[in-house]
Amino acid sequence: MAVAAVTTKRKRTTARPTKTQPTTNAKLIKQPLPAGLPREWYETHNRRLKAMRLAIALLDTGIYHPANASNRRIRTAAERIGIHPPSETTCRMVRSLIHYAD
């Protein structure tokens, strides 16, 4: 019976930061995109990043429903945060991201 008491270990209550889990004051390390993929993959990837930035900006301003996110409002948010005006496709992506945040 004494063996069980010796072999039990105490669990950690806080997780140590790993490469995928940075600390709050650490900078994120940018890694290059994988090479050799079709051009459409890179365009879609960058479009998704842009849509995510715009959706976050709109949610921060209080727009929580896709019906309130018109193309004009999305393009105004893009101008405010300093990125190029999004295309029609990117605006649709932004609305779908806001829909999932609902």
Side-chain angles (χ1 to χ4, degrees), residues 34-92:
L37 295 173
R39 182 175 177 84
E40 295 87 30
W41 184 90
Y42 298 104
E43 290 171 356
T44 305
H45 174 75
N46 289 330
R47 187 183 305 269
R48 287 177 183 157
L49 290 178
K50 186 176 195 174
M52 182 64 75
R53 281 189 216 106
L54 287 167
I56 290 169
L58 289 171
L59 289 170
D60 285 344
T61 59
I63 299 170
Y64 300 114
H65 199 270
N68 297 335
S70 64
N71 286 353
R72 176 183 281 175
R73 190 167 274 178
I74 292 171
R75 290 186 176 121
T76 304
E79 184 180 327
R80 191 173 352 105
I81 62 175
I83 58 178
H84 289 284
S87 65
E88 192 76 30
T89 306
T90 307
C91 289
R92 274 196 309 270

